[in-house]
Amino acid sequence: MSARHYLVWDMVAKAAYEDERREQGKYQADMRKILRNPLQHISENNFIKEYRLSKEAFEDLCDLLINHGDLKSTQRVSVELQVLCALLFYAQGSYQRITGKAHHFSQEAVSVYIEEVTTALNHPNIGKRFINFPTTRLERDAIKQSFFNKYGIPGVIGSIDCSHFKIFTPKKEEEHLYFCRKHYHSMNVQMICDHNCKILSINAKFGGAAHDSFIWENSNVNNYIQSLHRRNEIVWLLGDSGYPQRPWLMTPYLNPTPNSIEETFNAAHTSARVVIENTFGRLKNRWRCVHRDRTLHYRPEKCSQIIIACSVLHNIALKYNVPDPEEICEQDQEFHREEVVLEDGGASDLLMGRALRDQLARRLASRRS
C-alpha cells in the first residue's frame, strides 16, 4: 500500500471509529435518560424480578437514603440510578450484568455506586430503623405471644444462629482469622430473627475461624438479655447445640430418651428454631451476592458492610410484603452445625438454665399429653 493510500485508509478508519464512538455515547446517554425514571419503563413484576424490591419499596428506600443515609445525586447520576446499580449487584452478585446490559456504566463507576449505597445502608439512621432488637416490654411481649401462637413455646423472643458467608482470601497476616472449618475463607455472621424471619440483630464482625458460642459471648445482645433476667423478666432465645444452655438461651437436650419429655421439648424446639434457618435461606436466595455459591471479592470490612446492607434490604422486603424469588432455599445447610459446645464456666447459670429447660419441657409435655 502506498503512503498516500495508507493515509486515506487511516483517515477513513479514524472517522469511522469516531462516528461509532459518538453513536455509542449517544446510545448510553439515551439509556441513562430512560433509567432516570425506570419505574415508567418496566412492569411491577419485572421490577421485582430484577431488583428484588417493589417499586413502592424502592421509592421509599431512595427517600430514606437521601434524607437519613447521606446519599447524594451527582450531575450525571441520580440517587435512584445509584440505588438501582447497587440493587442489581446485590440481587445478581455480578458486575457483568450491570456494566453490560443494564446501566451502561464502567465497572469502576458501578463499583463507586455500590460502595456509596452500601455505606448509606450501613448508616446508623438506616440500620437502626430496620434492624433493632426489642427494647421495650411491649415489643418483647408481642414477639413472645407470636412465637407461642405459632409454635406453642412460651417466653421466646427470637431464634439465634450463625452462618458462613464466603469471602476472598484476606491479607496474609489476618488470613487465619477467616479460614473456617469448611476449608474456605468466610465471615461467620450471627443473626437473631423473630417468628416471621425478620432480622432483629446482626453481628458481622467476626471471621470464619470464630465459633458461634464465642461470637455470642462477645455480643451486646447477650449482655442485654442477661440484664432482663436480672430484672426478673423471663425471656429466652432458641439456639442449637453450638451454644451453651443458659436461663436466657434454650438449647436442645443431647441424646434424649425416646418418647420422653426431653424428646417432646426437642421436637418443639426444632420446629420453632427453623425460622432462623429459613431467614438465612431467604436472605441468600434473594440477594445472590451473598449466596453460598458466591464469594465476596472485597476486604473483610467491606464484606461485612455488604452483608449488613443485604440484611437491611431483607427486612425492607418483608415490610413491603415483596414475594420471595423462585426456588427459595428453605434451609441453608451451609451454616447448619453439628458440633456441641462444651458446657464450661458459669456453673450457676448452666444449672439454672437446665432447671428452666426441664420446667419448660414438663410444661410442653403436659400440654400435649
Side-chain angles (χ1 to χ4, degrees):
M1 181 184 295
S2 67
R4 182 179 179 182
H5 288 165
Y6 175 79
L7 288 174
V8 172
W9 174 84
D10 186 55
M11 291 175 62
V12 172
K14 287 181 177 179
Y17 172 77
E18 288 299 322
D19 288 343
E20 183 180 352
R21 192 167 67 87
R22 281 193 294 270
E23 286 297 320
Q24 183 66 18
K26 183 178 182 300
Y27 171 71
Q28 292 184 353
D30 291 342
M31 286 302 299
R32 291 191 189 106
K33 288 179 182 179
I34 293 174
L35 289 165
R36 283 172 188 164
N37 195 354
L39 304 187
Q40 295 181 357
H41 302 278
I42 186 172
S43 69
E44 177 73 17
N45 288 339
N46 284 338
F47 189 90
I48 292 174
K49 183 178 179 179
E50 195 80 8
Y51 300 105
R52 301 293 199 261
L53 292 180
S54 64
K55 292 182 179 181
E56 179 187 7
F58 167 74
E59 290 181 299
D60 290 348
L61 173 62
C62 290
D63 289 340
L64 279 172
L65 294 181
I66 292 170
N67 297 322
H68 302 286
D70 296 335
L71 192 62
K72 307 295 183 185
S73 297
T74 68
Q75 288 185 340
R76 290 183 64 244
V77 184
S78 66
V79 163
E80 288 77 12
L81 191 48
Q82 294 176 50
V83 174
L84 286 176
C85 285
L87 288 178
L88 198 57
F89 168 74
Y90 300 144
Q92 304 296 333
S94 171
Y95 279 109
Q96 283 67 36
R97 178 74 180 277
I98 310 171
T99 58
K101 294 183 179 179
H103 299 304
H104 308 278
F105 290 112
S106 68
Q107 181 166 318
E108 291 77 11
V110 171
S111 180
V112 171
Y113 305 149
I114 294 171
E115 168 89 19
E116 292 178 349
V117 174
T118 298
T119 299
L121 286 168
N122 277 261
H123 193 287
N125 291 338
I126 303 298
K128 290 179 181 178
R129 182 183 292 263
F130 293 103
I131 300 179
N132 46 77
F133 196 76
T135 56
T136 68
R137 186 69 176 260
L138 189 63
E139 291 173 328
R140 292 189 292 274
D141 285 347
I143 295 176
K144 285 165 57 177
Q145 188 62 50
S146 296
F147 262 107
F148 181 76
N149 292 343
K150 196 168 186 178
Y151 300 106
I153 304 181
V156 181
I157 59 170
S159 181
I160 182 173
D161 211 336
C162 288
S163 181
H164 288 280
F165 292 74
K166 292 180 181 178
I167 66 172
F168 191 68
T169 305
K171 294 184 294 186
K172 186 174 181 180
E173 56 268 25
E174 60 180 7
E175 182 181 355
H176 65 284
L177 299 174
Y178 300 93
F179 194 72
C180 71
R181 66 182 183 87
K182 298 177 182 291
H183 306 294
Y184 57 75
H185 298 91
S186 69
M187 304 295 300
N188 193 14
V189 180
Q190 174 187 282
M191 291 189 189
I192 300 171
C193 73
D194 69 6
H195 57 290
N196 283 328
C197 296
K198 178 185 177 182
I199 299 171
L200 304 177
S201 172
I202 178 171
N203 187 339
K205 299 177 181 178
F206 293 90
H211 191 275
D212 293 9
S213 60
F214 175 83
I215 298 173
W216 167 243
E217 291 298 329
N218 290 276
S219 68
N220 293 330
V221 175
N222 182 20
N223 295 328
Y224 179 70
I225 200 169
Q226 287 189 53
S227 72
L228 296 180
H229 271 258
R230 286 194 292 270
R231 297 198 297 269
N232 297 317
E233 183 177 343
I234 307 303
V235 293
W236 40 67
L237 301 174
L238 300 178
D240 65 12
S241 55
Y243 292 94
Q245 173 64 36
R246 295 290 184 264
W248 48 85
L249 179 56
M250 291 291 153
T251 64
Y253 287 96
L254 300 179
N255 304 315
T257 304
N259 301 317
S260 64
I261 62 171
E262 290 88 353
E263 191 172 70
T264 299
F265 173 86
N266 279 7
H269 183 283
T270 299
S271 176
R273 204 192 68 83
V274 76
V275 292
I276 188 61
E277 298 184 10
N278 289 342
T279 298
F280 279 119
R282 295 173 70 176
L283 171 72
K284 294 184 178 185
N285 190 61
R286 183 183 297 275
W287 308 111
R288 306 291 287 186
C289 70
V290 295
H291 192 268
R292 63 175 178 268
D293 294 331
R294 300 290 176 89
T295 300
L296 289 170
H297 288 258
Y298 298 90
R299 67 185 188 280
E301 294 78 12
K302 180 55 61 178
C303 292
S304 174
Q305 289 186 337
I306 291 174
I307 294 166
I308 292 173
C310 290
S311 299
V312 170
L313 293 170
H314 167 87
N315 279 0
I316 291 175
L318 289 181
K319 176 183 177 182
Y320 287 87
N321 297 313
V322 182
D324 290 305
E326 295 179 0
E327 299 180 1
I328 179 170
C329 174
E330 289 294 337
Q331 295 188 20
D332 182 10
Q333 297 298 328
E334 182 69 16
F335 81 95
H336 189 67
R337 294 181 175 273
E338 297 295 337
E339 74 264 27
V340 177
V341 67
L342 296 177
E343 297 279 16
D344 57 350
S348 60
D349 288 337
L350 172 60
L351 293 175
M352 185 179 297
R354 287 178 174 174
L356 277 173
R357 183 175 62 184
D358 290 343
Q359 187 179 82
L360 182 57
R362 287 192 293 270
R363 179 176 175 181
L364 289 173
S366 64
R367 288 179 57 241
R368 300 189 180 195
S369 61

